[in-house]
């Protein structure tokens, strides 16, 4: 099957048939075996030594997980993917496998809360983290040092929806030979491929829109093939023997996945692979629902602010229209002071108060009191998080039903 011949969804649906088909099974079977046995002990040894392909122990690889890795690689147009138990497992792997004490990294300050917390942890372990407003490449350039190993940004930041200066940061990293890591969770590879702006590694939380049904945790790191690992200082000598393109993932597999053990389970991989088949359909629907809801809220005087990159009023609307197929399913808004956000949320019939993103159902959460509570008011303010901010992960409900629900909760 030639990959470039087909569109996004056709490629994902038929990818399992590109490798051996077991018993005619159209979907990759769920392989629950932890160990993989060989009749010939010499063959086991040569699999261990990397002389021939094969599975040995579930923490380092599993056929069901491997089939999902192939799918994510296709989605991102990369050269390889490693799956992890969660999105945080994938992001943590960057630190575990690629950074050393004395290194410096630059991160967007507009980040998923747990990634923000992870970078604070890393900062206590000898890696210096510079947080910058990544909506302007000049802020990134200003803090680069000779020790900068990595620049990390999200495409559309959760929850305030700032869009990083993706293409210019990619250009800067290319010029300086710095690894550019883009967390593509909010856009997904259907709306945007970070490879197009020069990313070397792409992060996806598979828990969110790719799995899409709130029934499995998972994460992935995809190597786009653009980064020259032969120039990266921390690749261990045994991985240097491989071609440059393979060195990064080889070290990530051994130093992060094997040594730290955040392996994705086969059942979760199966749920995610099935969910991924409808990614494009769901993203089209959630993006158009989110735009309609954002427009309705923006036109209402009881709403003080709406943050959605699909709105013409959004500061990065230009970049959004240029780079993304649509603006995605995440929006956030602030009510006027006279409306209590908790009372408002309790009046919603369809929007469910819950902490997840990219589910088929619409989920709502009062940000400052939940997911961003731990960091305190000062840091929230520095990240542009209003105390009344409500985050909405827009689902695939019928558009009219969704708009009517958010309107009746304002009217009440
Ligand atoms: C949820 C999320 C993560 C972490 O993913 P988990 O699967 O929950 O560990 C990372 N980045 C972004 C942007 C996310 O929304």
């Amino acid at each position: 099957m030639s990959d470039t011949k087909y569109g996004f969804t056709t490629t994902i649906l038929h990818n399992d048939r590109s490798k051996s088909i077991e018993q005619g099974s159209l979907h990759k079977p769920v392989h629950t075996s932890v160990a993989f046995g060989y009749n010939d002990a010499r063959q086991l040894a040569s699999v261990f030594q990397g002389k021939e392909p094969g599975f040995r122990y579930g923490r380092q690889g599993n056929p069901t997980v491997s089939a999902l890795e192939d799918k994510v690689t296709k989605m991102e147009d990369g050269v390889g993917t490693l799956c992890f138990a969660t999105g945080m497992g994938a992001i943590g792997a960057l630190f575990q496998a690629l950074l050393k004490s004395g290194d410096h990294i630059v991160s967007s300050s507009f980040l998923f809360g747990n990634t923000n917390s992870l970078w604070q942890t890393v900062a206590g372990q000898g890696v210096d983290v510079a947080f910058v407003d990544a909506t302007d490449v000049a802020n990134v350039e200003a803090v680069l040092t000779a020790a900068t190993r990595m620049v990390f940004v999200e495409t559309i930041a959760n929850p305030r929806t700032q869009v990083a200066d993706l293409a210019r940061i990619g250009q800067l990293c290319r010029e300086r030979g710095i690894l550019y890591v883009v967390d593509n969770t909010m856009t997904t590879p259907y709306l945007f491929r970070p490879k197009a702006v020069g990313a070397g590694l792409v992060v996806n939380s598979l828990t969110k829109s790719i799995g899409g049904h709130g029934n499995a945790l998972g994460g992935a790191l995809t190597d786009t093939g653009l980064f020259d690992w032969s120039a990266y200082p921390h690749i261990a000598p045994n991985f240097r023997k491989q071609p440059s393109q393979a060195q990064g993932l080889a070290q990530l597999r051994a130093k992060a996945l094997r040594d730290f053990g955040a392996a994705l389970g086969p059942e979760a991989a199966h749920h995610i692979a099935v969910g991924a088949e409808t990614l494009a359909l769901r993203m089209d629907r959630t993006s158009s629902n989110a735009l309609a809801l954002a427009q309705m809220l923006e036109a209402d005087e009881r709403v003080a602010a709406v943050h959605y990159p699909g709105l013409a009023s959004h500061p990065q609307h230009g970049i959004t229209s240029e780079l993304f197929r649509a603006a995605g399913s995440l929006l956030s808004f602030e009510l006027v002071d006279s409306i209590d956000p908790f009372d408002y949320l309790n009046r919603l019939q369809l929007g469910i108060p819950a902490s997840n993103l990219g589910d088929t159902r619409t989920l709502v959460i009062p940000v400052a009191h939940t997911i961003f509570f731990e960091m305190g008011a000062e840091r929230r303010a520095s990240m542009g998080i209003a105390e009344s901010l409500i985050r909405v992960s827009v689902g695939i409900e019928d558009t009219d039903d969704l708009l009517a629900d958010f309107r009746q909760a304002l009217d009440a």
Side-chain angles (χ1 to χ4, degrees):
M1 214 180 97
S2 138
D3 298 316
T4 46
K5 183 172 153 199
Y6 296 111
F8 188 89
T9 296
T10 312
T11 304
I12 301 317
L13 287 177
H14 291 272
N15 191 59
D16 288 339
R17 294 165 62 210
S18 65
K19 296 258 168 75
S20 75
I21 300 167
E22 300 159 48
Q23 314 291 353
S25 173
L26 291 187
H27 292 262
K28 188 74 186 172
V30 183
H31 289 272
T32 56
S33 185
V34 169
F36 298 85
Y38 295 85
N39 291 331
D40 176 356
R42 286 194 184 83
Q43 195 184 1
L44 176 64
S46 71
V47 167
F48 258 82
Q49 292 168 23
K51 289 179 186 151
E52 63 178 292
F55 296 97
R56 37 190 172 153
Y57 184 73
R59 178 156 32 75
Q60 281 120 282
N62 165 290
T64 313
V65 175
S66 168
L68 176 62
E69 290 175 340
D70 282 351
K71 260 189 229 258
V72 177
T73 300
K74 288 278 161 38
M75 289 193 224
E76 290 288 4
D77 190 27
V79 295
T81 295
L82 274 187
C83 279
F84 293 85
T86 64
M88 289 316 299
I91 300 172
L94 299 170
F95 170 66
Q96 292 153 358
L98 300 177
L99 297 171
K100 289 193 168 157
S101 176
D103 284 347
H104 176 261
I105 68 170
V106 181
S107 170
S108 168
S109 51
F110 308 129
L111 281 182
F112 176 64
N114 299 154
T115 307
N116 178 70
S117 168
L118 171 65
W119 291 151
Q120 312 281 344
T121 306
V122 161
Q125 296 178 8
V127 173
D128 191 14
V129 187
F131 287 102
V132 298
D133 174 349
T135 60
D136 184 349
V137 65
N139 299 326
V140 175
E141 187 164 15
V143 298
L144 293 181
T145 74
T148 306
R149 298 275 164 260
M150 184 186 296
V151 173
F152 183 97
V153 302
E154 294 177 3
T155 51
I156 301 174
N158 162 16
R160 266 282 271 101
T161 76
Q162 297 96 336
V163 179
D165 197 355
L166 289 159
R168 285 179 199 83
I169 296 173
Q171 181 64 32
L172 175 69
C173 289
R174 187 156 49 237
E175 283 163 16
R176 306 290 180 92
I178 295 170
L179 176 62
Y180 185 26
V181 184
V182 176
D183 183 336
N184 198 27
T185 301
M186 282 306 123
T187 22
T188 80
Y190 174 64
L191 297 184
F192 174 63
R193 278 178 172 150
K195 184 181 179 181
V197 294
L201 288 176
V202 181
V203 175
N204 278 290
S205 167
L206 305 173
T207 314
K208 310 293 173 53
S209 302
I210 291 181
H213 295 73
N215 59 1
L217 291 159
L221 284 181
T222 300
D223 191 324
T224 62
L226 295 180
F227 185 69
D228 178 13
W229 292 103
S230 67
Y232 196 76
H234 305 327
I235 300 293
N238 51 330
F239 305 118
R240 288 279 186 223
K241 291 175 202 140
Q242 312 209 21
S244 168
Q245 274 197 341
Q247 292 176 12
L249 283 191
Q251 177 148 318
L252 281 156
R253 185 181 289 281
K255 300 270 174 215
L257 193 61
R258 185 196 65 198
D259 294 358
F260 285 84
L264 180 66
E267 294 89 350
H270 171 71
H271 282 304
I272 293 163
V274 172
E277 296 187 352
T278 55
L279 174 63
L281 285 76
R282 288 181 287 102
M283 289 313 283
D284 282 339
R285 174 70 161 238
T286 57
S287 296
S288 67
N289 270 356
L291 180 60
L293 181 59
Q295 285 169 338
M296 185 196 87
L297 292 170
E298 190 177 46
D300 198 304
E301 71 272 5
R302 293 162 295 188
V303 176
V306 183
H307 312 290
Y308 183 65
L311 292 175
S313 58
H314 189 282
Q316 290 91 40
H317 181 64
I319 293 190
T320 300
S321 326
E322 203 179 302
L323 295 180
F324 308 155
R325 194 193 288 258
S329 53
L330 171 76
L331 69 87
S332 54
F333 68 100
E334 298 156 33
L335 294 162
V336 292
D337 288 342
S338 56
I339 306 176
D340 182 283
F342 286 97
D343 291 340
Y344 178 80
L345 293 177
N346 287 341
R347 286 194 290 268
L348 291 173
Q349 303 289 310
L350 298 178
I352 307 168
S355 169
N356 189 16
L357 295 162
D359 199 341
T360 46
R361 295 147 179 75
T362 294
L363 307 178
V364 293
I365 196 160
V367 175
H369 309 274
T370 55
I371 47 177
F372 279 59
F373 181 71
E374 186 185 304
M375 67 179 60
E378 201 176 313
R379 182 136 177 87
R380 278 198 294 276
S382 79
M383 294 172 84
I385 310 293
E387 296 299 294
S388 68
L389 190 72
I390 291 172
R391 182 186 79 184
V392 188
S393 169
V394 179
I396 61 170
E397 291 92 347
D398 297 283
T399 315
D400 291 345
D401 293 339
L402 204 58
L403 299 191
D405 190 38
F406 278 76
R407 200 182 303 116
Q408 67 74 25
L410 283 169
D411 291 341

